[in-house]
C-alpha cells in the first residue's frame, strides 16, 4: 500500500491531501475550541451580571426591611419588651416568604429573640450554630448590613443566609444586633431561568471564603454545599484587582473537583463575591459534537476523494493496460506482434538459455487476390480464422505473431529433427477450406526458415534471413525454404540487377531475339517468339528468367514490356515486307502490363504505327500470373480479341488453372510448358497429359504450341498427337533480327 502511495504521483497527491485535510481539521478543531471558550466566557459574564443584579436587589431589599425594624425597635426597649419587639418584627416580615427567620442578638452573640419562638424559651448562643465570628465582629463595627455565612437554624429547621446590622444608642454603643435570615430554599426560586441549563452554577462567596449561596446544588445536601472553599481554589484567584465593575475569568477546579470555566465579580456594598461557572467537560462535549460532525464531513470528503482517485487510477491503469496490449499485440487478430516476438525470442535465448531456435517467416500465397476479389473485411475475417487455427502453436517455448498484412512469424525451440514436420503441420493447418460469408476457399502459404545460432545470432538478422528464405519459398509456391548464405548472395544480386535495370533501356543494353515456330504438319515457319536479352557492360548477359521477375515486382516491367512490343513490331514489320511472308509475331506480356490502365491506349497507338501487326500479333500471357486476377484479366483479353490480336496461354500446366476452365478464356493458342515436352518420351503420364491437352484444345478450336522441342523424338510424338506448332532448339535457338533474316532466306531457297 505504502509502496503504491509513494510509487504513483496520483496516490502521493492523495496522501498530501489526506495529511493536509487532517492538519486543517486539527487546526479548525483548535480554532473552534478557542471560539467555544470565548463564547462561553461571554455567556458566563452575562449570566454573572444578571445574578449579581438579583443578589444586589434582594440584599438591598432585605437590608431595607432590617433598617425599618431597627428604627422601630430603638423606640421601644426590645430587651424589656420582647413581646412587642417580636410583634414589630413579625409584622414587617409577614409578607415576605423569602425571609426565613429573624432575631436579635446581644453584642456578644447571645440570641435574645427569634421570630416565631416564645420569648420565655431559652435561646442558644449564635456561635453554637454558626462559626462566622469574624463576620459577626464585622457587623458590630459596620454601619451597614453585613452578609454572614449561611448556616442551619435548628429552631426554624431551615438553612438561612443571615444579614446583620448593629443597632446603636445615641452614644454609638451597640445595643444589639438585628438579624434577618434569607430562606435559601425560597431564594432558589429566583433561578427559574437558570434551571433551564443546570450546567451554569452560581456561587455567592463571603470574604471569609465561605460559600454562602450556590445554585444549583447538584444533588448535594446543604451541609455539603455551604462549605468553606479549599485554599488551593483561593490561591488560584487574584482578588486584588477586582472592583465592583470588573470581572475575572479563569479555568479552575471547583468545590466538587470539576474543572470549570468561571467568571468572578464583586459586590462591594455587601462585600461578597459572585461567581458563575460552567464545566469544561460540557464544553468538551460541545466541541466533540461539532468535531464529530466535521470529522464525518472530512471522512466523507476523504472517502469520496479516495473513490474518485481510485476510479481515475483504475481508468488510467486500464488505458495503460490497453496501450501495453496495443504495443504488444496485433489489434485485428489479437496475436502478439513482431515486437513481442522479438522480445520473446530474446528471452528464450538470454533468460532460458535456449541452445538453439528456429524462426519461421510465413506468408499467404494468394491473399492479395482474395482481398481484391472479396474486399478487405473478408480478408480480415480470413486472417482472424487463420489466427484461430494457429492459436495452439503458442507454447512456453514457441510463439506465433502477426507481422502485418498476411505475414506471420513463428519462433520455436524445436530441433532440426522436428522442424520439417512442424512446418508441414503449419501447411496442413491451412489445407482445410475456410468458410466466410458462405464462401468456401482454400489458402496456401510459403514458409521461410532461419536458425539460431547457425544462421545468425541476432534476432534482427534472423528475421531478415527468414524473410529471404520466404522469398525463395514463394518462387517455388506452397513450399518451405531454409535460409542458406547463397540466398543472401542472391538477394544482393537481386538488388544489383534491380538498380542496374533502371538504366538498361537508356543505355541501349536491351535487345530482342526471335525464335522460330514451325507448323508441325508442313514444316513451314508460321511464327516467331520475341524474347528479350540484356547485355550489361560489366555484369555480362543476364537471363530474362532472372531480370523479368525482378522487373515484375516493380513498375519497371511496364517500360521493358513497351520496349519489347514496339521493338519487335518494328523489326518484324520490315521482315514481313521484305520476305513477303505472313508469319505471326508472339510477344510475351506480363499480367501487370495487361492490367495497366493505359495499356489499351498504348496498344492502339502501336497498331496505328504498325498496321500490318493487326491480325499477326499474338500476346503470350503466363498462365499462373493470369489466374491471380482472372476477373480483371478476362475483360482485357476480350478487348484484345476484339482488336483481332491473338492470345497465347504460356507455360500451360505449371499453374493452377484446370483444363475445364480453358473454354472460359478467349485464347487462340495454348503453349504446353517445356517441362512436359522434356519428359515426353520418358514419362508415360506426361505423354498422356500432353495428348489430352492437344485433343481438348482441338475441340475448343485453340491451337497448341509445344515449346522446348529439342529432339526428333519430341517432334515425332507431338506430330502423332496432332500438336499444331513446334518451337525449340531442335529447329532454332532464339536469334537476332539479322540472323532471322538469313534464316528466312535459307528457308525460301
Ligand atoms: P518463355 O516465355 O517460356 O520463353 C521460352 C523460353 O524457353 C525462352 O527462354 C527460350 O529461350 C527457351 N527455349 C526455347 N527453346 C528451348 C528448348 O528447346 N529448350 C530449352 N531448355 N529452352 C528453350 P528465355 O529467352 O531465357 O526467356 C525466359 C523467359 O523470360 C520467358 O519464358 C518469358 O517468360 C520471359 N521473357 C523473355 N522475354 C520477355 C519479354 O519480352 N517480356 C516478358 N514479359 N517476358 C519475357
Ligand atoms: Ca513465351
Ligand atoms: Ca513458355
Amino acid at each position: 500500500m505504502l509502496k503504491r502511495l509513494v510509487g504513483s504521483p496520483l496516490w502521493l497527491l492523495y496522501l498530501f491531501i489526506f495529511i493536509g485535510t487532517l492538519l486543517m481539521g486539527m487546526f479548525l478543531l483548535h480554532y473552534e475550541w478557542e471560539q467555544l471558550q470565548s463564547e462561553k466566557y461571554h455567556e458566563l459574564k452575562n449570566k454573572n451580571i444578571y445574578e449579581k443584579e438579583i443578589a444586589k436587589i434582594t440584599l438591598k431589599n432585605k437590608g431595607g426591611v432590617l433598617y425599618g425594624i431597627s428604627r422601630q425597635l430603638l423606640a421601644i426597649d426590645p430587651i424589656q419588651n420582647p413581646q412587642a419587639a417580636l410583634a414589630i418584627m413579625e409584622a414587617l416580615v409577614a409578607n415576605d416568604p423569602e425571609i426565613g427567620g429573624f432575631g436579635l442578638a446581644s453584642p456578644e452573640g447571645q440570641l435574645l429573640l427569634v421570630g416565631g419562638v416564645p420569648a420565655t424559651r431559652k435561646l442558644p448562643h449564635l456561635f453554637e450554630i454558626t462559626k462566622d465570628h469574624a463576620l459577626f465582629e464585622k457587623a458590630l463595627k459596620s454601619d451597614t448590613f453585613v452578609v454572614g455565612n449561611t448556616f442551619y437554624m435548628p429552631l426554624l429547621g431551615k438553612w438561612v443566609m443571615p444579614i446583620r446590622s448593629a443597632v446603636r444608642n445615641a452614644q454609638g454603643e451597640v445595643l444589639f444586633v438585628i438579624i434577618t435570615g434569607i430562606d435559601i430554599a425560597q431564594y432558589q426560586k429566583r433561578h427559574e431561568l437558570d434551571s433551564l441549563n443546570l450546567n451554569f452554577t452560581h456561587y455567592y462567596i463571603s470574604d471569609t471564603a465561605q460559600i454562602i449561596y450556590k445554585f444549583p446544588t447538584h444533588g448535594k445536601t446543604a451541609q455539603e454545599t455551604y462549605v468553606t472553599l479549599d485554599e488551593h481554589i483561593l490561591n488560584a484567584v487574584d482578588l486584588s484587582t477586582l472592583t465592583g465593575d470588573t470581572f475575572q475569568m479563569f479555568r479552575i477546579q471547583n468545590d466538587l473537583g470539576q474543572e470549570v470555566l468561571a467568571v468572578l465579580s464583586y459586590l462591594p456594598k455587601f462585600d461578597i463575591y459572585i461567581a458563575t461557572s460552567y464545566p469544561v467537560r460540557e464544553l468538551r462535549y460541545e466541541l466533540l459534537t461539532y468535531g464529530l460532525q466535521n470529522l464525518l464531513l472530512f471522512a466523507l470528503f476523504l472517502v469520496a476523494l479516495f473513490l474518485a482517485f481510485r476510479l481515475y487510477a483504475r481508468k488510467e491503469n486500464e488505458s495503460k493496460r490497453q496501450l501495453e496490449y496495443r504495443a504488444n499485440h496485433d489489434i485485428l487478430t489479437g496475436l502478439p506482434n513482431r515486437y513481442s516476438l522479438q522480445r520473446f525470442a530474446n528471452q528464450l535465448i538470454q533468460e532460458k538459455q535456449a541452445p538453439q531456435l528456429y524462426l519461421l517467416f510465413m506468408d499467404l500465397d494468394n491473399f492479395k487476390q482474395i482481398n481484391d476479389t472479396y474486399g478487405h473485411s473478408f480478408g480480415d475475417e480470413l486472417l482472424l480464422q487463420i489466427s484461430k487455427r494457429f492459436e495452439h502453436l503458442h507454447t512456453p517455448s514457441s510463439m506465433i505473431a502477426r507481422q502485418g498484412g498476411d505475414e506471420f512469424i513463428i519462433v520455436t525451440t524445436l530441433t532440426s529433427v522436428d522442424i520439417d514436420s512442424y512446418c508441414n503441420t503449419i501447411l496442413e493447418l491451412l489445407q482445410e477450406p475456410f468458410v466466410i460469408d458462405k464462401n468456401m476457399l482454400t489458402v496456401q502459404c510459403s514458409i521461410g526458415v532461419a536458425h539460431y545460432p547457425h544462421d545468425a545470432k541476432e534476432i534482427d538478422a534472423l528475421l531478415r534471413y527468414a524473410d529471404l528464405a520466404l522469398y525463395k519459398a514463394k518462387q517455388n509456391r506452397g513450399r518451405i525454404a531454409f535460409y542458406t548464405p547463397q540466398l543472401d548472395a542472391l538477394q544482393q544480386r537481386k538488388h544489383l540487377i534491380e538498380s542496374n535495370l533502371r538504366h538498361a533501356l537508356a543505355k541501349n543494353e536491351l535487345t530482342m531475339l526471335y525464335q522460330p515456330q514451325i507448323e508441325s504438319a508442313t514444316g513451314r515457319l508460321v511464327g516467331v517468339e520475341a524474347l528479350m536479352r540484356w547485355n550489361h557492360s560489366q555484369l555480362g548477359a543476364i537471363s530474362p528468367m532472372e531480370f523479368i521477375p525482378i522487373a515484375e515486382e516493380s513498375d519497371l516491367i511496364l517500360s521493358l514490356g513497351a520496349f519489347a512490343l514496339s521493338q519487335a513490331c518494328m523489326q518484324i514489320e520490315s521482315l514481313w515486307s521484305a520476305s513477303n511472308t505472313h508469319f505471326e509475331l508472339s510477344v510475351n506480356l506480363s499480367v501487370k502490363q495487361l492490367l495497366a490502365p493505359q495499356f489499351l491506349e498504348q496498344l492502339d497507338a502501336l497498331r496505328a504505327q504498325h498496321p500490318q501487326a493487326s491480325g499477326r500479333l499474338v500476346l503470350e500471357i503466363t498462365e499462373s500470373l493470369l489466374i491471380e486476377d482472372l476477373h480483371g484479366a478476362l475483360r482485357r483479353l476480350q478487348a484484345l480479341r476484339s482488336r483481332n490480336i491473338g492470345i497465347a496461354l504460356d507455360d500451360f500446366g505449371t499453374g493452377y488453372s484446370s483444363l475445364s476452365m480453358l473454354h472460359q478464356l478467349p485464347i487462340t493458342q495454348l503453349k504446353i510448358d517445356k517441362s512436359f515436352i522434356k519428359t515426353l518420351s520418358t514419362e508415360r503420364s506426361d505423354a498422356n497429359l500432353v495428348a489430352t491437352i492437344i485433343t481438348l484444345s482441338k475441340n475448343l478450336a485453340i491451337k497448341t504450341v509445344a515449346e522446348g522441342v529439342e529432339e526428333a523424338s519430341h517432334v515425332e510424338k507431338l506430330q502423332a498427337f496432332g500438336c499444331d506448332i513446334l518451337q525449340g532448339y531442335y529447329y532454332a535457338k532464339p536469334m537476332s533480327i539479322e540472323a532471322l533474316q538469313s534464316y528466312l532466306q535459307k528457308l525460301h531457297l
Side-chain angles (χ1 to χ4, degrees), residues 105-110 125-127 136-137 140 177:
S106 70
E108 291 75 35
Q110 172 61 48
H125 193 279
L126 248 188
F127 298 153
F136 190 79
E137 292 293 327
L140 289 179
V177 176

Side-chain angles (χ1 to χ4, degrees), residues 515 529 532-533 544-545 564 588 650-651 674 708 710 728-729 734:
Q515 187 176 34
E529 182 183 2
M532 202 184 290
R533 290 292 174 270
M545 303 276 269
N588 291 288
D650 208 352
D651 304 336
K674 45 184 175 291
E710 294 182 353
Y729 298 165

Side-chain angles (χ1 to χ4, degrees), residues 14 17-19 21-22 295-309:
Y14 184 76
I17 294 177
F18 187 89
I19 293 171
T21 309
L22 218 65
L295 199 74
L296 207 73
L297 279 177
F298 279 136
L300 275 176
F301 168 72
L302 286 172
V303 166
L305 201 71
F306 175 80
L307 291 177
F309 269 54

Side-chain angles (χ1 to χ4, degrees), residues 529 588 620 650-652 671-674 707:
E529 182 183 2
N588 291 288
E620 296 191 3
D650 208 352
D651 304 336
F652 187 76
K671 295 190 80 172
I672 304 164
D673 190 68
K674 45 184 175 291
E707 57 179 4

Side-chain angles (χ1 to χ4, degrees), residues 79-90:
I79 314 292
Q80 300 306 317
N81 301 300
Q83 294 298 346
L86 278 174
I88 288 168
M89 290 195 277
E90 274 162 10

